[in-house]
Amino acid sequence: MNKYISLVIGFLAVANLTYGFFVNQTEAAIFGIEMNIWTYRAIWAFFAVYSFYDFYRKNKGENA
């Protein structure tokens, strides 16, 4: 069950990252902290990559 949470978080991060490219913004906020849009996108990209890697690692460990 826990591995599927990583997968859901990964898809939500990709959706948020994609939405960030379609909306014309110069700044965004995470937890009330204003930051440059490219920093915001980098943070969401990190969450997406880490979540998919975590899912892959957990899935591979289960099959071994």
Side-chain angles (χ1 to χ4, degrees), residues 6-59:
S6 295
L7 189 61
V8 169
I9 291 171
F11 281 124
L12 288 175
V14 167
N16 197 356
L17 184 63
T18 305
Y19 177 74
F21 278 105
F22 285 116
V23 176
N24 191 13
Q25 296 176 323
T26 58
E27 290 185 345
I30 295 180
F31 301 118
I33 301 170
E34 293 284 329
M35 63 184 68
N36 185 339
I37 191 66
W38 288 104
T39 306
Y40 177 81
R41 290 172 181 162
I43 290 170
W44 280 109
F46 172 77
F47 281 140
V49 169
Y50 181 76
S51 294
F52 288 129
Y53 172 73
D54 189 44
F55 175 76
Y56 172 76
R57 186 177 47 91
K58 288 177 183 176
N59 198 27

